[in-house]
Amino acid sequence: MSVEASKWARMADVQKSSSKLVLLNLAQLVRYDADHWTVFASIDYLAKVTHLNRKTVIEALGRLRDLGAIQDTGRRAGDNRSSIIYRLCPNAVPLICLLYTSDAADDTPCV
């Protein structure tokens, strides 16, 4: 497991909880020593571990692709070579800004 990939996925602003859950589970599968954050998981696997239905997982993956959070590498894996190998793209989506002070201005940039 890549701790860095998991940290990024936790803070990535992907707009929907189903997309966040799928992204978090993909990030958990990134190898700790991976140069590029590549990962594969079948839709059935993601549906099982997230408790989402297949259609929701497919929609979440599509949303993550549209946002640029994941990218199809063009390679396939799995028993029948049908699982897409994705690359997680940490610079493509903004991170959630957590401001803990009540007097912080709305336009305060995150660092």
Side-chain angles (χ1 to χ4, degrees), residues 32-79:
Y32 74 94
D33 60 349
D35 289 334
H36 301 284
W37 290 353
T38 57
V39 62
F40 76 93
S42 70
I43 291 169
D44 289 335
Y45 171 81
L46 290 170
K48 182 169 270 203
V49 298
T50 61
H51 296 280
L52 299 171
N53 66 42
R54 283 180 51 85
K55 183 178 176 185
T56 305
V57 170
I58 292 167
E59 289 171 356
L61 289 169
R63 190 175 308 106
L64 291 169
R65 281 192 303 269
D66 292 345
L67 290 170
I70 61 173
Q71 182 180 62
D72 185 340
T73 64
R75 299 181 321 189
R76 301 295 181 262
D79 293 339

Coordinates of all heavy atoms in Angstrom, one line a residue, residues 32-79:
Y32 N 3.5 0.2 -2.5 CA 4.3 1.2 -1.8 C 5.5 1.7 -2.5 O 6.0 2.8 -2.3 CB 4.7 0.7 -0.4 CG 5.8 -0.4 -0.4 CD1 7.1 0.0 -0.2 CD2 5.5 -1.7 -0.6 CE1 8.1 -0.9 -0.3 CE2 6.5 -2.6 -0.6 CZ 7.8 -2.3 -0.5 OH 8.8 -3.2 -0.5
D33 N 6.1 0.8 -3.4 CA 7.3 1.2 -4.1 C 7.1 1.5 -5.5 O 8.0 1.6 -6.3 CB 8.3 0.0 -4.0 CG 7.8 -1.3 -4.6 OD1 6.6 -1.3 -4.9 OD2 8.5 -2.2 -4.8
A34 N 5.9 1.8 -5.9 CA 5.5 2.2 -7.3 C 6.1 3.5 -7.7 O 5.9 4.5 -7.0 CB 4.0 2.1 -7.5
D35 N 6.7 3.6 -8.8 CA 7.2 4.9 -9.3 C 6.0 5.7 -9.8 O 5.9 6.9 -9.6 CB 8.2 4.7 -10.5 CG 9.5 4.1 -10.0 OD1 9.9 4.4 -8.8 OD2 10.2 3.5 -10.8
H36 N 5.1 5.0 -10.5 CA 3.9 5.7 -11.0 C 2.7 5.0 -10.2 O 2.8 3.8 -10.0 CB 3.7 5.4 -12.5 CG 4.8 6.0 -13.3 ND1 5.0 7.3 -13.5 CD2 5.9 5.4 -13.9 CE1 6.1 7.5 -14.3 NE2 6.6 6.3 -14.5
W37 N 1.8 5.8 -9.9 CA 0.7 5.2 -9.1 C -0.3 4.5 -10.0 O -1.3 5.0 -10.4 CB -0.1 6.3 -8.3 CG 0.7 6.9 -7.2 CD1 1.9 6.4 -6.7 CD2 0.4 8.0 -6.4 NE1 2.3 7.2 -5.7 CE2 1.4 8.2 -5.5 CE3 -0.7 8.9 -6.4 CZ2 1.4 9.2 -4.5 CZ3 -0.7 9.9 -5.5 CH2 0.3 10.0 -4.5
T38 N 0.0 3.3 -10.4 CA -0.8 2.5 -11.3 C -1.5 1.4 -10.4 O -0.9 0.9 -9.5 CB 0.0 1.8 -12.4 OG1 1.0 1.1 -11.9 CG2 0.5 2.9 -13.4
V39 N -2.7 1.1 -10.8 CA -3.5 0.1 -10.1 C -4.6 -0.5 -10.9 O -5.0 0.1 -11.9 CB -4.1 0.8 -8.8 CG1 -5.1 1.9 -9.3 CG2 -4.8 -0.1 -7.9
F40 N -4.9 -1.7 -10.6 CA -6.1 -2.3 -11.3 C -7.0 -3.0 -10.3 O -6.5 -3.5 -9.3 CB -5.7 -3.2 -12.4 CG -5.3 -4.6 -12.0 CD1 -6.1 -5.6 -11.9 CD2 -3.9 -4.8 -11.7 CE1 -5.7 -6.9 -11.5 CE2 -3.5 -6.0 -11.3 CZ -4.4 -7.1 -11.2
A41 N -8.3 -2.9 -10.5 CA -9.3 -3.6 -9.7 C -10.5 -3.8 -10.6 O -10.9 -2.9 -11.4 CB -9.6 -2.8 -8.5
S42 N -11.1 -5.0 -10.5 CA -12.3 -5.2 -11.3 C -13.4 -4.5 -10.7 O -13.5 -4.1 -9.6 CB -12.6 -6.7 -11.3 OG -13.0 -7.1 -10.0
I43 N -14.4 -4.2 -11.6 CA -15.6 -3.6 -11.1 C -16.3 -4.4 -10.0 O -16.8 -3.8 -9.0 CB -16.6 -3.3 -12.3 CG1 -15.9 -2.2 -13.2 CG2 -18.0 -2.8 -11.8 CD1 -16.6 -2.0 -14.5
D44 N -16.3 -5.7 -10.2 CA -16.9 -6.6 -9.2 C -16.2 -6.4 -7.8 O -16.8 -6.4 -6.8 CB -16.9 -8.0 -9.6 CG -17.9 -8.3 -10.8 OD1 -18.9 -7.5 -10.9 OD2 -17.7 -9.3 -11.5
Y45 N -14.9 -6.4 -7.9 CA -14.1 -6.2 -6.6 C -14.5 -4.9 -6.0 O -14.7 -4.8 -4.8 CB -12.6 -6.3 -6.9 CG -11.8 -5.9 -5.7 CD1 -11.5 -6.8 -4.7 CD2 -11.3 -4.6 -5.6 CE1 -10.8 -6.4 -3.6 CE2 -10.5 -4.2 -4.5 CZ -10.3 -5.1 -3.5 OH -9.6 -4.8 -2.4
L46 N -14.5 -3.8 -6.8 CA -14.8 -2.5 -6.2 C -16.2 -2.4 -5.6 O -16.4 -1.8 -4.6 CB -14.6 -1.4 -7.2 CG -13.1 -1.1 -7.6 CD1 -13.0 -0.2 -8.8 CD2 -12.3 -0.5 -6.4
A47 N -17.1 -3.1 -6.3 CA -18.5 -3.1 -5.8 C -18.6 -3.9 -4.5 O -19.3 -3.4 -3.6 CB -19.4 -3.8 -6.9
K48 N -17.8 -4.9 -4.4 CA -17.8 -5.7 -3.1 C -17.2 -5.0 -2.0 O -17.8 -4.9 -0.9 CB -17.1 -7.1 -3.4 CG -17.1 -8.0 -2.1 CD -16.7 -9.3 -2.5 CE -17.9 -10.1 -2.9 NZ -17.8 -11.5 -2.8
V49 N -16.1 -4.4 -2.2 CA -15.4 -3.7 -1.0 C -16.0 -2.4 -0.7 O -15.9 -1.9 0.5 CB -13.9 -3.5 -1.3 CG1 -13.2 -4.9 -1.4 CG2 -13.6 -2.6 -2.4
T50 N -16.7 -1.7 -1.6 CA -17.3 -0.4 -1.3 C -18.8 -0.6 -0.9 O -19.4 0.4 -0.4 CB -17.2 0.5 -2.5 OG1 -17.9 -0.1 -3.6 CG2 -15.8 0.8 -2.9
H51 N -19.4 -1.7 -1.2 CA -20.8 -1.9 -0.9 C -21.6 -1.0 -1.8 O -22.8 -0.7 -1.5 CB -21.2 -1.7 0.5 CG -20.6 -2.7 1.4 ND1 -21.0 -4.0 1.6 CD2 -19.5 -2.7 2.2 CE1 -20.3 -4.7 2.4 NE2 -19.3 -3.9 2.8
L52 N -21.1 -0.7 -3.0 CA -21.8 0.1 -4.0 C -22.3 -0.9 -5.1 O -21.6 -2.0 -5.3 CB -21.0 1.1 -4.7 CG -20.4 2.2 -3.7 CD1 -19.4 3.1 -4.5 CD2 -21.6 3.1 -3.2
N53 N -23.3 -0.6 -5.8 CA -23.7 -1.5 -6.9 C -22.8 -1.3 -8.1 O -22.1 -0.2 -8.2 CB -25.2 -1.5 -7.2 CG -25.6 -0.1 -7.8 OD1 -24.9 0.5 -8.6 ND2 -26.8 0.4 -7.3
R54 N -22.8 -2.2 -9.0 CA -21.9 -2.1 -10.2 C -22.1 -0.9 -11.0 O -21.2 -0.2 -11.4 CB -22.2 -3.3 -11.1 CG -21.6 -4.6 -10.7 CD -21.9 -5.7 -11.7 NE -21.6 -5.4 -13.1 CZ -20.4 -5.6 -13.6 NH1 -19.4 -6.0 -12.9 NH2 -20.1 -5.2 -14.9
K55 N -23.4 -0.5 -11.2 CA -23.7 0.7 -11.9 C -23.1 2.0 -11.3 O -22.5 2.8 -12.0 CB -25.2 0.9 -12.1 CG -25.6 2.1 -12.9 CD -27.1 2.2 -13.1 CE -27.5 3.4 -13.9 NZ -28.9 3.6 -13.9
T56 N -23.2 2.0 -10.0 CA -22.6 3.2 -9.2 C -21.1 3.2 -9.3 O -20.5 4.2 -9.5 CB -23.0 3.1 -7.8 OG1 -24.5 3.1 -7.7 CG2 -22.5 4.4 -7.0
V57 N -20.4 2.0 -9.3 CA -19.0 1.9 -9.4 C -18.6 2.4 -10.8 O -17.6 3.2 -11.0 CB -18.5 0.5 -9.1 CG1 -17.0 0.3 -9.5 CG2 -18.7 0.1 -7.7
I58 N -19.3 1.9 -11.8 CA -19.0 2.3 -13.2 C -19.1 3.9 -13.4 O -18.3 4.5 -14.0 CB -19.9 1.6 -14.2 CG1 -19.5 0.1 -14.2 CG2 -19.8 2.2 -15.6 CD1 -20.5 -0.8 -14.9
E59 N -20.2 4.4 -12.8 CA -20.4 5.9 -12.9 C -19.3 6.6 -12.1 O -18.8 7.6 -12.6 CB -21.8 6.3 -12.3 CG -22.9 5.8 -13.2 CD -24.3 6.0 -12.5 OE1 -24.3 6.4 -11.3 OE2 -25.3 5.8 -13.2
A60 N -18.9 6.1 -11.0 CA -17.8 6.7 -10.2 C -16.5 6.7 -10.9 O -15.8 7.7 -11.0 CB -17.7 6.0 -8.8
L61 N -16.2 5.6 -11.6 CA -14.9 5.5 -12.4 C -15.0 6.5 -13.5 O -14.0 7.1 -13.8 CB -14.7 4.1 -12.9 CG -14.3 3.0 -11.8 CD1 -14.4 1.6 -12.4 CD2 -12.9 3.3 -11.3
G62 N -16.1 6.6 -14.2 CA -16.3 7.6 -15.3 C -16.1 9.0 -14.8 O -15.4 9.8 -15.4
R63 N -16.7 9.3 -13.6 CA -16.5 10.6 -13.1 C -15.1 10.9 -12.7 O -14.6 12.0 -13.0 CB -17.4 10.8 -11.8 CG -17.5 12.2 -11.3 CD -18.5 12.3 -10.1 NE -19.8 11.7 -10.4 CZ -20.3 10.5 -9.9 NH1 -19.5 9.8 -9.1 NH2 -21.4 10.0 -10.2
L64 N -14.4 9.9 -12.1 CA -13.0 10.1 -11.8 C -12.1 10.3 -13.1 O -11.2 11.1 -13.1 CB -12.5 8.9 -11.0 CG -13.0 8.8 -9.6 CD1 -12.6 7.4 -9.0 CD2 -12.5 9.9 -8.7
R65 N -12.5 9.6 -14.1 CA -11.8 9.8 -15.4 C -12.0 11.2 -15.9 O -11.1 11.9 -16.4 CB -12.2 8.8 -16.4 CG -11.5 7.4 -16.3 CD -11.7 6.5 -17.5 NE -13.1 6.3 -17.8 CZ -13.8 5.3 -17.3 NH1 -13.3 4.4 -16.5 NH2 -15.1 5.2 -17.6
D66 N -13.3 11.6 -15.9 CA -13.7 13.0 -16.4 C -13.0 14.1 -15.6 O -12.6 15.1 -16.2 CB -15.2 13.2 -16.4 CG -15.9 12.3 -17.3 OD1 -15.3 11.7 -18.3 OD2 -17.2 12.2 -17.2
L67 N -12.8 13.9 -14.3 CA -12.2 14.9 -13.5 C -10.6 14.9 -13.7 O -10.0 15.8 -13.3 CB -12.5 14.6 -12.0 CG -13.9 14.9 -11.5 CD1 -14.1 14.4 -10.1 CD2 -14.2 16.4 -11.6
G68 N -10.1 13.8 -14.2 CA -8.7 13.6 -14.4 C -8.0 13.0 -13.3 O -6.8 12.9 -13.3
A69 N -8.7 12.5 -12.3 CA -8.1 11.9 -11.1 C -7.5 10.5 -11.4 O -6.5 10.1 -10.8 CB -9.2 11.7 -10.0
I70 N -8.1 9.8 -12.4 CA -7.5 8.6 -12.9 C -7.4 8.6 -14.4 O -8.2 9.3 -15.0 CB -8.3 7.3 -12.4 CG1 -9.8 7.4 -12.9 CG2 -8.3 7.2 -10.9 CD1 -10.6 6.1 -12.7
Q71 N -6.5 7.8 -14.9 CA -6.3 7.8 -16.4 C -6.1 6.4 -16.8 O -5.4 5.6 -16.1 CB -5.1 8.6 -16.6 CG -4.7 8.8 -18.1 CD -3.4 9.6 -18.1 OE1 -2.4 9.2 -17.6 NE2 -3.5 10.8 -18.8
D72 N -6.8 6.0 -17.9 CA -6.6 4.6 -18.5 C -5.2 4.6 -19.1 O -4.9 5.4 -19.9 CB -7.7 4.4 -19.5 CG -7.7 3.0 -20.1 OD1 -6.6 2.3 -20.0 OD2 -8.7 2.6 -20.6
T73 N -4.4 3.6 -18.7 CA -3.0 3.5 -19.2 C -3.0 2.7 -20.6 O -2.0 2.7 -21.2 CB -2.1 2.7 -18.2 OG1 -2.7 1.3 -18.1 CG2 -2.0 3.4 -16.9
G74 N -4.2 2.1 -20.9 CA -4.2 1.4 -22.2 C -3.9 -0.1 -21.9 O -4.0 -0.9 -22.8
R75 N -3.4 -0.4 -20.7 CA -3.1 -1.8 -20.4 C -4.2 -2.5 -19.6 O -5.0 -1.8 -19.0 CB -1.8 -1.8 -19.6 CG -0.6 -1.3 -20.3 CD 0.7 -1.3 -19.5 NE 0.4 -1.0 -18.1 CZ 1.3 -0.8 -17.2 NH1 2.6 -0.9 -17.5 NH2 1.0 -0.6 -15.9
R76 N -4.2 -3.8 -19.7 CA -5.3 -4.5 -19.0 C -4.6 -5.6 -18.1 O -3.5 -6.1 -18.4 CB -6.2 -5.2 -20.0 CG -6.9 -4.2 -20.9 CD -7.9 -3.3 -20.1 NE -8.6 -2.4 -21.0 CZ -8.2 -1.1 -21.2 NH1 -7.1 -0.6 -20.6 NH2 -9.0 -0.3 -21.9
A77 N -5.3 -6.0 -17.1 CA -4.8 -7.0 -16.1 C -6.0 -7.9 -15.7 O -7.1 -7.6 -16.0 CB -4.1 -6.4 -15.0
G78 N -5.7 -8.9 -14.8 CA -6.7 -9.7 -14.3 C -6.7 -11.1 -15.0 O -6.0 -11.3 -16.0
D79 N -7.6 -12.0 -14.6 CA -7.6 -13.3 -15.1 C -7.9 -13.3 -16.6 O -7.3 -14.1 -17.3 CB -8.7 -14.2 -14.4 CG -8.3 -14.4 -12.9 OD1 -7.1 -14.3 -12.6 OD2 -9.2 -14.7 -12.1

